[in-house]
Amino acid sequence: MTDPTRSAALDLLISVLDRGRPLEEALDALPPTEARDRAAAHRLAAAVLRRMGALDAVMEPFLKKRPPVVVVHILRLGAAALLLLDTPAHAAVATAVELTRARRLDPFAGLVNAVLRKVAAAGVATLEECDGPRLDTPGWLWAAWGADARAIASAHTQEAPIDLTLMPGAVAPEGGVALPSGSWRYPAGTRVTELAGFAEGQFWVQDAAAALPARMLAAQPGERIADLCAAPGGKTAQLIAAGAQVVAVERDANRIARLRGNLARLHLGAEIVQDDATQWRPPELLDGVLLDAPCSATGTIRRHPDVLHLKRPSDIGALNAAQDALIKAACDMLRSGGRLVYAVCSLQPQEGPARIAAALKRLPLRTVPVQAADLGLPPAAITAQGWLRTTPAMWPELGGMDGFFAARLERL
Ligand code: SAM
């Protein structure tokens, strides 16, 4: 019998690496399986995507010539099980051989067996001896991250913890640690739906860094605020919980459904508009806009390691045009003195500081600097201009945080 986890993990790798599909989408497309198998397949496929450069380097000396790509994926899954997930050697090798046969690749079963036995014998030390952070990171990302590249890529080798934002007055579920920025942190792999208070809507999942842009906007009770590009709604929830009158604008129908579902669980109400935020305009000018723009998502590689394999340098230019158009629209929605927070979960300077520098030249906006201490952050998280720039290498002793850029601006 083929191991359902390993088989599903192989399907996930084929979807992401050979068909260019995002991992989340590939997960949704898996045939119905036990939730436990699905979670295990996700974890295994994510481990391969995260450490693929290093895993390939470890196996290279044992491969005289490269077998078909499906066989390479089976080897990667086997090597990840052995070296990253502590699967006992006999089980990791036997499962890979069975899977090779199940996929009608019998002629390669011997090769899979031989290579994985050698990987098992070489042990975890071989993985540690190679320059993992560099091997796991595409050159264009490494170059764009500059002096921070090694620290960021090293942080990507670890699974991210789970962070929660609590409803005002809610008690944190057991097992968490309070972070200096106000979020609560739980170990990687925590089953959130099983935590006390989930069904009652006492919290939502949101990386500690992702919770910062709404805190920077500091919405006041009764203020009229638009949340542009709102789904799945983590920031919308923060703005409503702060007492603002929120309109959430999102153009994707499927994502609107997720936004509605999330707000319903939290018993939070907002006006929800399905529209392109570059075209939509409020009936009257607003006190604030939170613009969490579409981006390359390179700040979330710890949670979405498929980003390493799917994004291309050419994607950034198209995103920049969309980001500029959204900033212009957001500015047009504000009253004089109204606040705009522009945020992206990206580590790429062209999506963050470069967009704001361009906007400040052509739009009636000025920066309202933020202070590290006000957000409970290390000073390095704030740039000389007073903009937020977090990376996964920050808070190393607490388990890092996603990479985010955010700027607080005021309409002149
Ligand atoms: N703010 C969300 C949160 O905190 O949960 C995450 C937003 S995600 C980074 C970007 C979202 O923007 C996606 O849901 C995408 O469908 C939406 N989007 C992209 N371009 C848009 C546009 N022009 N108008 C409205 N929504 C857009």
Side-chain angles (χ1 to χ4, degrees), residues 178-198:
L179 295 174
S181 62
S183 296
W184 280 75
R185 177 155 288 182
Y186 295 78
T190 297
R191 289 163 189 261
V192 175
T193 53
E194 291 171 15
L195 292 176
F198 177 82

Side-chain angles (χ1 to χ4, degrees), residues 134-221:
R134 180 65 198 87
L135 290 166
D136 295 334
T137 310
W140 71 279
L141 288 176
W142 188 272
W145 298 341
D148 295 335
R150 182 161 294 280
I152 292 171
S154 301
H156 288 160
T157 61
Q158 303 301 318
E159 258 184 279
I162 305 278
D163 294 345
L164 303 183
T165 300
L166 302 189
M167 287 289 272
V171 176
E174 269 184 37
V177 175
L179 295 174
S181 62
S183 296
W184 280 75
R185 177 155 288 182
Y186 295 78
T190 297
R191 289 163 189 261
V192 175
T193 53
E194 291 171 15
L195 292 176
F198 177 82
E200 295 76 18
Q202 295 292 289
F203 57 79
W204 58 97
V205 175
Q206 186 175 40
D207 183 87
L212 299 170
R215 296 214 170 98
M216 285 166 58
L217 191 63
Q220 301 300 308

Side-chain angles (χ1 to χ4, degrees), residues 3 5 16 37 52 58 114 121 123 132 139 147 174 193 216 221 229 242 244 293 299 303 385 395:
D3 174 55
T5 295
V16 173
D37 288 337
M52 201 164 93
V58 164
E174 269 184 37
T193 53
M216 285 166 58
C229 306
R303 299 178 194 285
Q385 297 88 342
W395 278 350

Side-chain angles (χ1 to χ4, degrees), residues 281-317:
R281 290 294 179 273
E284 48 185 319
L285 296 178
L286 299 167
D287 300 308
V289 173
L290 179 53
L291 167 55
D292 189 18
C295 69
S296 61
T298 53
T300 67
I301 285 171
R302 297 180 314 157
R303 299 178 194 285
H304 303 289
D306 51 328
V307 167
L308 286 168
H309 306 278
L310 297 179
K311 297 292 173 190
R312 301 280 173 265
S314 55
D315 296 334
I316 306 290

